[in-house]
Amino acid sequence: MNTHQTTKTSHLPPEWAFEFHGHQCPFMPLGYRMSKLAMISLDVEHEADHGFYVFPELGEAHPQTCLMDGIQVATGATYGKVTIAKTFYGKLAATFFHPKKGAVRYAIRNEFVDALGKFEFFVFRKNGIEPSEIPPPVRQEILDWTYAQPDDAIFKVEDEPDFRFMPLKGSFNKTKCSECGEYVFERYVRMKDGNPVCIPCSGYEAKPMTKAVAPQPNPTP
């Protein structure tokens, strides 16, 4: 496939982002680029604390979730700060929300995904080859082409004036589980025979990690 291009986006992830992510692929940079454009649209900076939220519409056990690592690198919204949460819709899109600036949704266009899928990179991937094991020239080919595509050919953009989200109020309060003796934060304390216990010791509500449900944006009534 001829990938000679004369232009390149200015929204390129730093090299350390690939080290953080673990391999070269097109979707981590796409998440980074999507986020930078959303941040410009909302007039927000990289988030140091807990004031900017992202809701990727990806799920699990499907490809291209690498998008989320690029989102975290660009925005500062991270899983550790609980400022990013998947909606599990299984779509290549994300809503970016700032309580004082509003919300905007970016989705990757079907036409772009279809064109991207014609590269040799995805022949390897569909045959079970991990991205880090794909020959470097094949990886670089798809990156160069992706970087050269104009923003409006990649992303569909929608303002979300009715989007609302109310984060849970944080608390430092915790107690010891009466069975295992480990601390558990009060939101997750359960009662068993009149004593406080953690969820694993409670014997109920123990869900496999792969079935954990992410916080959902609150729709406008």
Side-chain angles (χ1 to χ4, degrees), residues 27 55-65 67-68 85-94 105 107-108 110 113 216:
F27 277 90
F55 300 94
E57 297 182 18
L58 299 113
E60 58 188 20
H62 66 77
Q64 299 153 9
T65 53
L67 203 72
M68 290 180 290
K86 293 189 292 184
T87 65
F88 293 90
Y89 296 162
K91 302 176 77 173
L92 296 172
R105 180 180 183 267
I108 298 181
N110 294 348
V113 175
Q216 299 294 308

Side-chain angles (χ1 to χ4, degrees), residues 186-221:
E186 65 176 2
R187 189 182 305 281
Y188 300 96
V189 172
R190 302 294 182 264
M191 300 302 293
K192 181 178 180 181
D193 300 327
N195 297 310
V197 292
C198 65
I199 289 175
C201 290
S202 71
Y204 62 93
E205 294 187 20
K207 299 177 181 178
M209 290 181 66
T210 56
K211 298 298 183 181
V213 177
Q216 299 294 308
N218 296 328
T220 299

Side-chain angles (χ1 to χ4, degrees), residues 14-15 34 60 70 76 82 106 159 190 216:
E15 282 303 313
M34 168 193 290
E60 58 188 20
V82 199
Y106 274 71
D159 290 330
R190 302 294 182 264
Q216 299 294 308

Side-chain angles (χ1 to χ4, degrees), residues 2-25:
N2 183 1
T3 61
H4 178 70
Q5 304 288 339
T6 57
T7 60
K8 181 181 286 190
T9 178
S10 61
H11 302 302
L12 297 176
E15 282 303 313
W16 66 261
F18 288 100
E19 296 178 14
F20 165 74
H21 183 54
H23 61 240
Q24 287 182 313
C25 72

Side-chain angles (χ1 to χ4, degrees), residues 65-83:
T65 53
C66 300
L67 203 72
M68 290 180 290
D69 276 354
I71 290 173
Q72 291 183 91
V73 168
T75 63
T78 66
Y79 284 98
K81 292 187 292 188
V82 199
T83 49

Side-chain angles (χ1 to χ4, degrees), residues 5 7 11-12 14 25-26 40 52 118 129 141 162 177 185 213:
Q5 304 288 339
T7 60
H11 302 302
L12 297 176
C25 72
I40 292 170
F52 184 38
K118 296 177 182 178
I129 307 301
E141 176 191 43
D162 297 326
C177 172
F185 286 97
V213 177

